[in-house]
Amino acid sequence: MAAVEALRCKECHASYELEARYVCEHCFGPLEVAYDFSGLEPEAAKRRIQAGPTTLWRYADFLPFESPPRTALAAGVTPLIKADRLAESLGLGEVWVKNDAANPTHSFKDRVVTVALAKARELGYEVVACASTGNLANAVAAHAAAAGLESYVFVPSDLEEQKILATGVYGTNLVSVRGNYDDVNRLCGELAGERDWAFVNVNVRPYYAEGSKTLGFEIAEQLGFQLPDRVVVPVASGSLFTKVARGFEEWRDVGLLEGELPAFNGAQAEGCSPVARAFEEGKDVCRPVKPDTVAKSLAIGDPADGPYALELARRSGGGVDSVTDDEIRAGIRLLAQTTGVFTETAGGVTTAVLKKLADRGDIAAGERVVLVITGDGLKTLDAVRGSFETHEIEPTVSSFEDTVGVAAAA
Amino acid sequence: MSVTVKIPTQLRSVTGGESETSVEEAGTVGEVLDGLYDRFDGLRERIAEDGDLRRFVNVYVGGEDIRFLDGLETEVEDGDEVTILPAVAGG
């Protein structure tokens, strides 16, 4: 018996059928999938999870489907790595890295797209689309190709070349929009009203967002069905940040987890920090900004879930911080050089914010901290270009000794 | 003078299905919206609250979010296009 019930407005709680709808007709509030987990027995749920596939469909009881759909390219079950050298370098007790770059298109967006496309197909759509800062573009193009659906992917024209190439290869209709992400998003909002397409992060956004819960489920399962004390998560729209918490809360509600919600620390780039600024100023809504940062995957100036991200940061005893582009580049190197995980700029933001919290003394000695790494460093190579030296030599021992040998001894 | 207003699908039930309309004699975005409220019953309650826009409603003039301009006081000129959209999308 599936637990999924309806779509419900987060503001006025009006209910709607489970269809392609994302906005409340009454108050324009966002719709979210509502469940009734009262029939779910925790031990049985745990057994189903542990006997499930090594994809996010192992959490099908907590996703918006009557029965687990079949998907050609499923995401999830990425490594949770104990990062002792990173912890030591920051003077922290226990740090884990959730490496969600280990997904089919190398970012956490495979999770949301897996769920969104399964729902789009169930609802009968033949074309899928998205507004993207890059990672979502990769994922929509790939999952649509695997499912045999036509796709349209809208991106800002200044996107990193790696993300353009890793999208176009899948045979999507790639649309490069002269404007920033918020312009792309507005355009897709208008198009969603005119085309009979499933825009994964517009008209099927309530389902799409459910995919992010699985990141929380996995962290808890991989820690042995325990909650960490703190999580550090990048914030763009705020959807991932709030849905990881929702995942923890659902499992606590059904009895799969016990204890307090972890402190939620959001991470933004200073050049696009509407949520961090509102947090600092004590506001409960975000003032939009024009992004200017190397962390393009987080460059959303008008974050849709900003108010909910602020509310979560405050009630969990966490916060939202921002870091400079130089700190982001240093964060990428710090993570790479202490864990062997090469992350894109968003992961640099997250790592740099962890460092900032550690330096500020916000993290207690005994805390178990999880750092959420959402994308692969190969997507944003420019961020590390010129950050190290290469020794160029002749193919002779003497040339090696003269050049590298001396450099090593110096 | 005349300003074109684009109506999102979520509001077309109160505009009798109209996806686009025009407002004459309005100098600001606020006056454009007042013109629409006079014409379409039930529109005000959907998108406004206590004299301001609800927090999940975005309004654009010529593609620019009015929060980067002067909000409801943003001036409009003949031929401008005003777009109303739900804020909750993307990411």
Side-chain angles (χ1 to χ4, degrees):
Chain A
M1 172 75 194
V4 61
E5 268 193 324
L7 291 177
R8 194 160 296 146
C9 176
K10 285 181 82 161
E11 297 289 300
C12 75
H13 307 293
S15 282
Y16 298 88
E17 298 282 308
L18 291 158
E19 56 196 13
R21 181 190 283 273
Y22 69 111
V23 175
C24 178
E25 297 271 332
H26 304 291
C27 73
F28 262 48
L31 302 184
E32 189 169 52
V33 179
Y35 300 84
D36 174 8
F37 292 120
S38 60
L40 204 61
E41 200 275 311
E43 281 309 311
K46 192 172 183 172
R47 278 196 300 276
R48 273 199 298 279
I49 291 165
Q50 290 172 327
T54 50
T55 69
L56 55 72
W57 294 121
R58 67 201 281 108
Y59 310 114
D61 282 348
F62 301 87
L63 293 172
F65 300 92
E66 292 291 327
S67 59
R70 289 155 64 98
T71 43
L73 189 66
V77 191
T78 59
L80 182 71
I81 304 159
K82 190 146 185 288
D84 291 341
R85 294 195 63 244
L86 175 60
E88 192 184 339
S89 81
L90 296 175
L92 297 174
E94 188 178 337
V95 177
W96 296 78
V97 170
K98 179 61 173 165
N99 183 16
D100 233 32
N103 266 308
T105 69
H106 315 286
S107 87
F108 88 101
K109 291 292 188 184
D110 287 303
R111 295 179 186 276
V112 286
V113 172
T114 295
V115 176
L117 256 66
K119 183 54 81 173
R121 295 188 82 177
E122 186 189 290
L123 293 171
Y125 285 97
E126 287 166 4
V127 181
V128 293
C130 69
S132 175
T133 56
N135 285 325
L136 183 59
N138 293 176
V140 166
H143 290 255
L149 295 168
E150 194 179 356
S151 63
Y152 285 80
V153 165
F154 297 80
V155 295
S157 56
D158 72 342
L159 207 57
E160 297 97 342
E161 188 187 22
Q162 290 91 355
K163 286 183 181 158
I164 299 276
L165 295 174
T167 300
V169 70
Y170 297 110
T172 183
N173 298 288
L174 183 57
V175 186
S176 176
V177 179
R178 292 184 208 105
N180 62 28
Y181 174 78
D182 297 294
D183 295 318
V184 177
N185 196 34
R186 175 187 48 74
L187 172 64
C188 287
E190 290 187 63
L191 285 171
E194 311 304 325
R195 303 271 169 161
D196 193 22
W197 297 350
F199 280 82
V200 299
N201 51 352
V202 185
N203 54 344
V204 293
R205 192 175 192 266
Y207 311 104
Y208 159 97
E210 290 294 286
S212 288
K213 291 192 314 192
T214 64
L215 192 46
F217 295 150
E218 262 177 52
I219 290 170
E221 185 187 359
Q222 288 169 324
L223 289 174
F225 288 90
Q226 286 189 344
L227 285 166
D229 299 306
R230 184 181 300 274
V231 289
V232 187
V233 184
V235 174
S237 73
S239 176
L240 174 68
F241 187 65
T242 52
K243 285 292 185 172
V244 169
R246 173 54 64 94
F248 291 154
E249 287 171 327
E250 284 182 356
W251 274 19
R252 214 176 43 175
D253 289 347
V254 304
L256 280 169
L257 292 173
E258 286 177 359
E260 296 225 345
L261 189 67
F264 270 76
N265 285 100
Q268 293 208 295
E270 206 169 276
C272 182
S273 51
V275 188
R277 193 170 306 167
F279 183 83
E280 192 184 339
E281 292 171 355
K283 304 233 169 77
D284 59 7
V285 289
C286 302
R287 189 171 172 74
V289 301
K290 302 277 187 189
D292 179 16
T293 169
V294 68
K296 292 183 178 157
S297 56
L298 301 182
I300 296 182
D302 184 16
D305 288 302
Y308 303 116
L310 289 165
E311 186 266 330
L312 170 63
R314 291 188 178 116
R315 84 182 148 88
S316 70
V320 186
D321 281 275
S322 65
V323 287
T324 65
D325 282 2
D326 283 344
E327 289 174 304
I328 294 165
R329 293 189 192 95
I332 293 173
R333 291 195 298 276
L334 174 64
L335 187 72
Q337 293 171 13
T338 57
T339 68
V341 173
F342 177 28
T343 182
E344 66 146 309
T345 45
V349 172
T350 318
T351 307
V353 165
L354 175 69
K355 178 171 166 31
K356 193 169 188 170
L357 297 172
D359 290 350
R360 210 161 58 197
D362 285 4
I363 303 176
E367 278 190 35
R368 174 181 278 182
V369 182
V370 175
L371 182 66
V372 175
I373 296 301
T374 48
D376 194 310
L378 296 176
K379 288 168 179 273
T380 60
L381 289 170
D382 284 342
V384 295
R385 205 181 298 283
S387 68
F388 53 88
E389 194 187 337
T390 307
H391 305 293
E392 191 171 335
I393 63 167
E394 297 304 322
T396 64
V397 170
S398 62
S399 179
F400 171 76
E401 292 295 357
D402 287 350
T403 312
V404 188
V406 170
Chain B
M1 74 150 271
S2 170
V3 173
T4 303
V5 185
K6 297 179 87 172
I7 311 286
T9 46
Q10 294 82 6
L11 291 177
R12 292 180 197 166
S13 60
V14 291
T15 61
E18 275 188 74
S19 61
E20 194 173 298
T21 185
S22 58
V23 174
E24 323 287 325
E25 307 307 321
T28 64
V29 170
E31 289 168 18
V32 170
L33 294 177
D34 285 339
L36 295 178
Y37 299 153
D38 288 345
R39 196 179 319 161
F40 301 116
D41 259 2
L43 181 64
R44 186 193 300 271
E45 299 73 55
R46 297 283 184 98
I47 63 171
E49 193 173 36
D50 304 328
D52 211 341
L53 287 170
R54 287 184 183 271
R55 67 176 178 168
F56 291 105
V57 176
N58 284 352
V59 174
Y60 305 83
V61 175
E64 183 69 305
D65 191 320
I66 60 167
R67 289 172 293 174
F68 288 116
L69 305 168
D70 295 320
L72 292 175
E73 301 303 315
T74 302
E75 290 183 7
V76 291
E77 292 173 8
D78 189 39
D80 273 350
E81 187 174 273
V82 173
T83 306
I84 305 170
L85 277 179
V88 180

